[in-house]
């Protein structure tokens, strides 16, 4: 598996060979840290949601008729009401990603970060003051708008401020906050498990996190790409110098200017994706990446971790404590993935290993459930069996976070050309949250119907990830974000979507025959259209920062 197929890098396009200079500065670290902090609230929400269903005070206040089903340990938490609360975060998130695409074009990335925080604060306040399930669900939906804004803007922001040599680490650093958020959510659930107002405490903890997001958004510069697209080349140069920590940024700035020479609107971006086949590969890659991220099972295990451990016959507190250990494994997995990424493994190698290890651990969990967890009332398994299940779920989480999640976020952020990012990111997020709705709603019903087969179902998608990484995933290791399209155009599968001249130029570039990539045919056509009309050029006094 580790042969040339997985380890090939593109030396001719490496940022160092192209003269892209940088120094690691405190400002870059600061912006990377708090740009990724948007992921904390989404992780915290996932960690909290499943534990809420274990709180008697929460159920008594909003779902007094819920008694749980006891005919099978796999069906204890099968409930339409609880499923609706779980997935209600997703529909508003889908809507808000399209709103965010418009927002960042007119008001800039840092303001979108602040809006994300405002939505989360409002949603949390509505939930903790709710006296009926309808108001509770309204607050949940408001938090969903914040989730959509955060999901969209953090990806764009981190990918564009990161030096190509460190892009994998910087973009994937957001996963640390996601894992930390999950762990803090589950730990908070455990610590306040016996309090009558425990459910209000765990939800209210979103408020200080969102406040931190808003505060730090005021100190983040807009990205060089955004400034170049608005015709502010000198401001872009200063921004790039600030993020790179060096004065000589001309090579990278020229590359950004070349990539930004066409400035399509959101509507035009969607038009390019629909009409120009060469923009289909980045869309397909994003859709597949986020599909596999959903269905390899992590979200289900985190949401319903307390329920999975409860069905083993332990009390809710023990179940929450075990889920907290799983959250700690997520953090460990992220650090392992970041340690491997960029310097020790390429993107594809990391994804391939992540897929095969996840499949192995999930199949093992399925075997243990099938042979040692009877499908009968009030099941009680031995501590040894419960410990074995916990260990393999922890190993699964480490391989998911370190192999798949870290690798996927880096790839999804870098494969999309700048002219179609306003279309591809919302479409990808729409697909991701649409599937999340199906997964969040169906998991407890799926667990009830398929019992231990649920884990085999997840393992099948992990196996798909391995084959995708080997045969379909372009290697973008150390390639500048604005030149990744060259790698895709030369890929044996995806080159079929590109004009022959683009494929030939891309092949020659990767072979070192020329390191100044030509603008793609579609981009060239759009540039010609732009040069013949002034009506779409940004106004000099445009207040927006994209």
């Amino acid at each position: 598996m580790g042969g040339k197929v997985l380890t090939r890098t593109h030396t001719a396009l490496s940022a160092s060979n192209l003269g892209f200079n940088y120094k690691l500065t405190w400002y870059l670290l600061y912006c990377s840290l708090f740009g990724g902090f948007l992921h904390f609230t989404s992780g915290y929400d996932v960690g909290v949601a499943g534990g809420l269903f274990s709180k008697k005070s929460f159920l008594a206040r909003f779902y007094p008729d819920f008694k749980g089903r006891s005919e099978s340990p796999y069906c204890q938490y099968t409930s339409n009401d609880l499923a609706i609360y779980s997935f209600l975060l997703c529909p508003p998130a889908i809507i808000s990603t399209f709103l965010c695409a418009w927002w960042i074009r007119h008001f800039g990335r840092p303001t979108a970060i602040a809006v994300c925080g405002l939505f989360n604060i409002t949603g949390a306040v509505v939930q903790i003051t709710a006296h009926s399930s309808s108001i509770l669900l309204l607050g949940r939906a408001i938090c969903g708008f914040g989730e959509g804004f955060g999901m969209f803007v953090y990806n764009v922001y981190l990918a564009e401020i990161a030096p190509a040599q460190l892009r994998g680490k910087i973009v994937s650093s957001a996963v640390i906050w996601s894992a930390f958020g999950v762990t803090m959510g589950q730990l908070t659930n455990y610590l306040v498990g016996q309090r009558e107002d425990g459910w209000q405490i765990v939800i209210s903890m979103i408020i200080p996190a969102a406040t931190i997001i808003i505060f730090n958004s005021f100190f983040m510069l807009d990205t060089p790409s955004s400034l170049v697209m608005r015709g502010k080349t000198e401001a872009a140069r200063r921004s790039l110098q600030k993020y790179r920590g060096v004065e000589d940024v001309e090579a990278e700035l020229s590359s950004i200017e070349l990539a930004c020479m066409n400035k399509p609107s959101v509507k035009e971006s969607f038009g390019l994706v629909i009409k120009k086949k060469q923009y289909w590969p980045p869309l397909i890659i994003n859709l597949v990446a986020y599909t596999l991220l959903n269905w390899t099972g992590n979200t289900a295990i985190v949401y319903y971790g307390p329920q999975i451990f409860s069905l083993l016959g332990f009390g809710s507190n023990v179940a929450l404590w075990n889920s907290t250990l799983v959250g700690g494994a997520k953090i460990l997995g992220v650090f392992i993935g970041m340690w491997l990424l960029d310097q020790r493994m390429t993107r594809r190698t990391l994804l391939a290993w992540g897929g095969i290890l996840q499949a192995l651990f999930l199949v093992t969990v399925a075997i243990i459930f099938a042979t040692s967890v009877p499908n009968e009332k009030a099941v009680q398994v031995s501590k040894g069996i419960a410990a074995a299940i916990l260990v393999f779920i922890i190993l699964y989480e480490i391989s998911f976070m370190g192999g798949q999640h870290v690798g996927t976020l880096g790839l999804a952020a870098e494969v999309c050309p700048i002219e179609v990012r306003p279309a591809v990111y919302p479409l990808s997020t729409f697909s991701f949250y649409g599937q999340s709705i199906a997964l969040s709603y169906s998991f407890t019903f799926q667990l009830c119907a398929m019992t231990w087969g649920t884990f085999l179902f997840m393992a099948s998608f992990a196996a798909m990830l391995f084959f995708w990484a080997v045969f379909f995933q372009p290697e973008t290791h150390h390639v500048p974000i604005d030149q990744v399209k060259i790698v895709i155009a030369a890929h044996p599968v995806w080159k079929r979507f590109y004009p022959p001249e683009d494929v030939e130029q891309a092949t020659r570039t990767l072979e070192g025959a020329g390191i100044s990539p030509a603008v793609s045919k579609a981009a060239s056509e759009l540039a010609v259209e732009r040069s013949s009309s002034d009506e779409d050029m940004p106004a000099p006094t445009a207040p927006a920062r994209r």
Side-chain angles (χ1 to χ4, degrees):
M1 182 180 67
K4 292 183 179 179
V5 173
L6 289 180
T7 58
R8 180 188 178 194
T9 57
H10 303 290
T11 304
L13 278 182
S14 70
S16 299
N17 282 354
L18 293 174
F20 289 13
N21 303 312
Y22 82 97
K23 289 193 304 185
L24 190 60
T25 66
W26 285 110
Y27 185 72
L28 177 62
L29 290 175
Y30 165 80
C31 291
S32 302
L33 181 69
F34 288 104
F37 191 71
L38 291 169
H39 239 33
F40 176 87
T41 54
S42 61
Y44 183 85
D45 181 90
V46 170
V48 163
L52 286 176
F53 305 155
S54 301
K55 298 191 182 307
K56 294 180 180 179
S57 58
F58 177 82
L59 294 175
R61 184 164 186 169
F62 299 111
Y63 304 104
D65 296 330
F66 175 75
K67 305 299 181 184
R69 295 172 57 181
S70 58
E71 69 270 19
S72 167
Y74 296 97
C75 303
Q76 291 184 51
Y77 291 91
T78 303
S79 165
N80 278 315
D81 290 334
L82 300 187
I84 289 172
Y85 181 84
S86 295
F87 81 71
L88 194 60
L89 195 75
C90 301
I94 293 173
I95 297 171
S96 65
T97 55
F98 290 92
L99 176 61
C100 188
W102 172 85
W103 182 279
I104 65 173
R105 190 174 186 85
H106 292 84
F107 303 103
R109 287 154 175 73
T111 59
I113 292 173
V115 169
C116 170
L118 286 172
F119 273 126
N120 278 299
I121 290 175
T122 305
V125 170
V126 171
Q127 287 186 80
I128 62 179
T129 58
H131 291 281
S132 67
S133 59
S134 58
I135 300 300
L136 176 77
L137 295 178
L138 173 63
R140 177 80 168 160
I142 294 172
C143 283
F145 280 99
E147 174 84 2
F149 259 76
M151 182 77 172
F152 187 100
V153 71
Y154 98 88
N155 217 346
V156 178
Y157 177 75
L158 291 183
E160 293 185 354
I161 68 170
Q165 298 92 328
L166 299 177
R167 189 172 61 243
K169 281 184 170 58
I170 287 179
V171 174
S172 63
S173 66
V175 189
I176 294 177
W177 288 118
S178 176
F180 186 60
V182 169
T183 305
M184 289 301 297
Q186 292 174 330
L187 184 59
T188 306
N189 263 326
Y190 172 75
L191 292 175
V192 301
Q194 301 303 319
R195 293 178 59 106
E196 184 71 19
D197 61 349
W199 67 272
Q200 291 172 308
I201 294 175
V202 295
I203 294 176
S204 66
M205 292 301 293
I206 296 175
I207 296 175
T211 302
I212 291 173
I213 290 173
I214 295 171
F215 175 78
N216 285 283
S217 69
F218 294 112
F219 301 98
M220 297 176 181
L221 288 176
D222 203 358
T223 66
S225 296
S226 173
L227 294 166
V228 168
M229 288 184 72
R230 294 189 288 119
K232 298 186 176 183
T233 305
E234 285 306 312
R237 179 179 285 106
R238 292 192 296 271
S239 174
L240 195 56
Q241 289 170 338
K242 182 75 170 178
Y243 282 120
R244 298 294 176 264
V246 295
E247 293 296 318
D248 182 13
V249 295
E250 295 307 314
E252 184 170 2
L253 184 61
S254 297
S255 177
I256 293 173
E257 288 179 310
L258 180 62
C260 296
M261 66 180 298
N262 31 147
K263 312 177 190 58
S265 65
V266 173
K267 180 179 178 181
E268 290 169 327
S269 291
F270 277 95
L272 287 175
V273 170
I274 294 171
K275 298 175 183 177
K276 304 292 184 180
K277 288 199 304 182
Q278 54 264 59
Y279 293 117
W280 294 359
L283 175 62
I284 295 171
I285 291 169
N286 267 269
L287 293 177
V288 171
Y290 282 116
T291 295
L292 294 175
L293 199 66
N294 248 328
W295 292 98
T296 48
N298 173 74
T299 302
I301 287 177
V302 172
Y303 255 94
Y304 299 106
Q307 287 78 8
I308 291 174
F309 290 112
S310 289
L311 70 82
L312 299 177
F314 296 102
S316 60
N317 275 348
V318 175
L320 285 172
W321 176 243
N322 288 338
S323 297
T324 303
L325 292 178
V326 172
K330 293 172 75 68
I331 296 176
L332 176 61
V334 174
F335 280 108
I336 290 174
M338 291 183 64
W339 178 72
L340 293 172
L341 193 61
D342 284 334
Q343 273 72 47
R344 294 167 182 83
M345 278 191 181
T346 65
R347 307 311 195 239
R348 295 171 65 215
T349 307
L350 195 63
L351 284 175
W353 275 108
I356 204 68
L357 289 175
Q358 285 178 84
L360 175 64
F361 296 137
L362 286 170
V363 169
T364 303
V365 170
I367 292 172
I368 297 175
F369 267 89
T371 58
S372 304
V373 182
N375 189 8
E376 58 189 36
K377 293 181 181 180
V379 63
Q380 183 77 44
V381 301
S382 68
K383 291 183 178 179
I385 294 299
I389 292 173
L390 176 61
V391 167
F392 281 105
I393 287 181
I394 284 175
L395 291 174
Y396 158 78
E397 282 293 344
I398 292 174
S399 60
F400 171 83
M401 298 302 293
Q404 184 177 5
H405 205 173
V406 166
T408 295
L409 289 187
L411 284 165
E414 65 196 10
V415 299
C416 187
I418 194 169
E419 60 266 26
V420 292
R421 284 176 201 165
V424 171
Y425 285 156
L427 289 172
S428 301
T429 308
F430 177 87
S431 173
F432 176 77
Y433 280 118
Q435 295 174 63
S436 295
I437 292 173
L439 181 61
S440 300
Y441 181 80
S442 68
F443 179 75
T444 54
F445 298 93
Q446 177 186 336
L447 186 64
C448 184
M450 299 175 64
T451 64
W452 53 267
T454 300
F455 298 99
L456 293 181
F457 178 72
M458 298 173 184
S460 67
F461 284 93
M464 291 180 198
L465 173 65
F466 169 77
F467 287 104
W468 173 266
V470 172
F471 298 108
F472 297 98
Q473 186 63 61
E475 183 55 79
T476 56
H477 185 72
H478 284 190
V479 177
I481 189 171
D482 297 312
Q483 299 182 21
V484 167
K485 60 185 176 184
I486 299 171
V487 177
I488 302 176
H491 190 274
V493 174
W494 305 119
K495 69 181 182 181
R496 304 169 192 212
F497 292 85
Y498 289 80
E501 57 269 30
D502 279 13
V503 175
E504 181 182 356
Q505 176 63 40
T507 303
R508 293 179 62 242
T509 298
L510 295 185
E511 291 174 351
I515 60 173
S516 298
V519 183
S520 69
K521 187 176 180 181
S524 298
E525 292 172 357
L526 186 58
V528 170
E529 294 173 8
R530 290 294 187 188
S531 65
S532 63
S533 174
D534 292 330
E535 63 181 15
D536 290 325
M537 294 297 288
T541 57
R545 294 184 300 168
R546 182 179 183 278

